[in-house]
Amino acid sequence: MARVELVNIRKSFGALKAVHGADAVFEEGSFTTLLGPSGCGKTTILRMISGLESPTSGDIFIGERRINDVPVHKRNLGLVFQNYALFPHRTIGENIAFGLKYRNISPSDMAQKVKDALDIVRLPKVQDRYPSQLSGGQQQRIALARAIVIEPDVLLLDEPLSALDANLREDMRVELKAIQDRIGVTSIFVTHDQSEALAMSDKIIVMSAGRIEQIGTPEEVYNTPATAFVAGFLGASNMLPARVLGRDASHILLETPEFGQTAVALARAAALGTNRGATLSTGDKALLMIRAEKLTLGPAGGDAPQAVVENVDYQGQLARYFLRIGETRLQAINMIDAAPFLAGQTVSLTLNPNACSALPEDTSA
Amino acid sequence: MRVWSLLKFYTVLVYAFMFAPILVVLALAFNASQFGGFPIEGLSLRWFYKLAENEAIIRAMRTSLALGALTALIATTLGVLASLALVRYQFPGKAFITTFLISPVLVPETVLAVGLLIFLRWLHMPRSFALLVIGHSIIALPFIVLVVQARLVGIRKDYEEAARSLGASPFQTFREVTLPLLLPAVFAGALFAFTISFDNITATIFWRPSGLETVPTQIFGMLRNSVSPEINALGFVMICITVGLPLLAGAVARYFSRKKI
């Protein structure tokens, strides 16, 4: 087990800049997710930690050791791939024992370790089968067993659940996290799936276009996104152009044409770590971010802003509403009380200022 | 309908025309008659016995087998290494080198044969058995590169990366993972190389030192005097080797793959 640190890592493939100066710390024993859309550089960072790519500049530390120039096979890392990558010409037992062969372990210890690893992933009886005789989920568990049996300093997981079908993916997610908790290995997980990231991580690193957008706990990145990108990528949210009317020690006052004045708590405006919301001052253009599930529909009338329901996406206990106020389109996700509102209906909207955040105007898009 | 049956008939004729000569050789090998020809007067193995007693043919057979085996060994080794470089690594001039390695297939064999001969003359080296091995390896190399490359492209890099992450050095990764997965193509390539060398006559005539005969040049030499029925028997043996060996290899490969997957 060890902590991993990236110091100003850059990576270019020819003219293409895949990673622009990333700094990050992966605490010992923690489970950190690199989250972002495809092509954001998350896999490139994982491959640089593993040694399968080398950074154009910057330093990578595992524990106290700078490992930029250490070849892959001397880094003592466990690597799990999206497509399992079990050796098809070897039995399950041989696959798991593969890494042990290079580690001066006696044959009897080796057999015991293979058996223990199979017990950890709850597949005790498959030792003599070949990978093609197992299902996708079983193969991925064997791939995990093969990676952890060598007692790696760091476990690197490259979209390990993406090739599995939906139901299995959720079961495996719970199991993977349970195994990681039990063996306590520092884990770095790459995914584009926000629900995986939110459910499993101690810390999430959100990336976009080769840059780190935000680093924080799942609650932090979800509730107090640092940038419009993070707000848009995690969950469904509405981003309304706003103007900063003023601020005091604890709140920032935003005005939008749709909702008038809204006071947003500074604690929420200032996303931890990057603190970009805190730089807003009176007169600036900004964005008011409202989570779709924090925008509540009610019967028409009253002082609240009135909106027209354009479309309803019925999901059983929930409904997702597509709304319009004037020319502005909004999304809301509400629990259904008795019956959902219908398309064409006029409704009143209430928003909870405590669940809103203020973001600087999006300059990246 | 009529067009189709006409086409079928024509197709049968084409195949008959192609295979008839081979069948004639196979059948006449067992003809007891002194003068090889139809009608077959009686079945006998006498020509095979005579073949086994013919010192020159035995020597030629031994030369051909050794030549084929060495060609297979050298061309396969080089072909596998070249394919690894071409598929797994990026380097300048890659497209040129690919074309260059494939070019012996494109160049007429006579030109290739004369070229190599002139080159050796320039180096003041005499024609030798070693020259034959080198020449045959050049001719066989493209086939191996094509077969092995095709297979290597299909082996995902993940396997090698997984092996490396588990602690295997690049060489150990090749030995434990890449080579076993590549084996069917390596095997097929080696067989190709062997049969290409075993069959070759054009280039061999240019390159062989005087006094050295391979089976094809031996047959060619014997034909100059007369058509001995022995040649039919020798043809039978050659067909068995060049057709039988790949079929056997295919059966072995299927047996092993069924055991595993």
Side-chain angles (χ1 to χ4, degrees), chain B residues 106-184:
Chain B
L106 311 172
V107 178
E109 214 170 295
T110 318
V111 177
L112 187 71
V114 172
L116 187 60
L117 214 51
I118 292 173
F119 180 64
L120 282 164
R121 184 74 44 84
W122 180 65
L123 287 176
H124 296 292
M125 283 174 72
R127 286 186 289 183
S128 64
F129 181 71
L131 168 63
L132 268 180
V133 174
I134 294 169
H136 280 193
S137 300
I138 293 172
I139 295 173
L141 191 60
F143 295 94
I144 294 170
V145 169
L146 289 174
V147 171
V148 173
Q149 257 189 335
R151 171 88 183 181
L152 197 55
V153 167
I155 298 175
R156 286 198 322 267
K157 246 177 143 176
D158 294 4
Y159 295 128
E160 290 158 25
E161 292 179 349
R164 297 274 278 126
S165 76
L166 291 166
S169 69
F171 178 70
Q172 285 163 334
T173 302
F174 174 75
R175 201 186 55 201
E176 302 270 327
V177 177
T178 319
L179 188 59
L181 293 176
L182 207 53
L183 215 51

Side-chain angles (χ1 to χ4, degrees), chain A residues 15-96:
Chain A
L16 178 81
K17 289 200 169 98
V19 178
H20 312 253
D23 290 283
V25 174
F26 304 85
E27 293 300 342
E28 188 166 325
S30 70
F31 191 107
T32 309
T33 299
L34 289 163
L35 174 69
S38 57
C40 71
K42 57 191 192 298
T43 299
T44 307
I45 286 189
L46 194 82
R47 289 176 67 83
M48 287 192 285
I49 298 171
S50 71
L52 295 169
E53 303 280 354
S54 46
T56 308
S57 69
D59 300 309
I60 303 172
F61 295 91
I62 294 181
E64 295 305 310
R65 191 158 74 127
R66 180 179 180 274
I67 49 126
N68 286 48
D69 304 316
V70 179
V72 187
H73 62 286
K74 297 202 172 132
R75 291 195 183 187
N76 196 34
L77 304 171
L79 199 48
V80 178
F81 295 85
Q82 181 174 349
N83 295 309
Y84 330 129
L86 295 178
F87 307 128
H89 59 300
R90 298 292 183 90
T91 62
I92 298 307
E94 289 166 347
N95 261 283
I96 296 176

Side-chain angles (χ1 to χ4, degrees), chain A residues 132-151:
Chain A
S132 57
Q133 296 170 314
L134 301 186
S135 71
Q138 289 173 325
Q139 288 190 48
Q140 195 57 294
R141 286 198 222 168
I142 298 302
L144 182 64
R146 183 178 69 177
I148 60 178
V149 77
I150 60 171
E151 292 166 27

Side-chain angles (χ1 to χ4, degrees), chain A residues 323-337:
Chain A
L323 308 161
R324 190 165 56 79
I325 306 183
E327 287 307 302
T328 311
R329 291 193 153 71
L330 297 169
Q331 270 187 58
I333 298 174
N334 283 188
M335 296 293 281
I336 296 168
D337 246 352

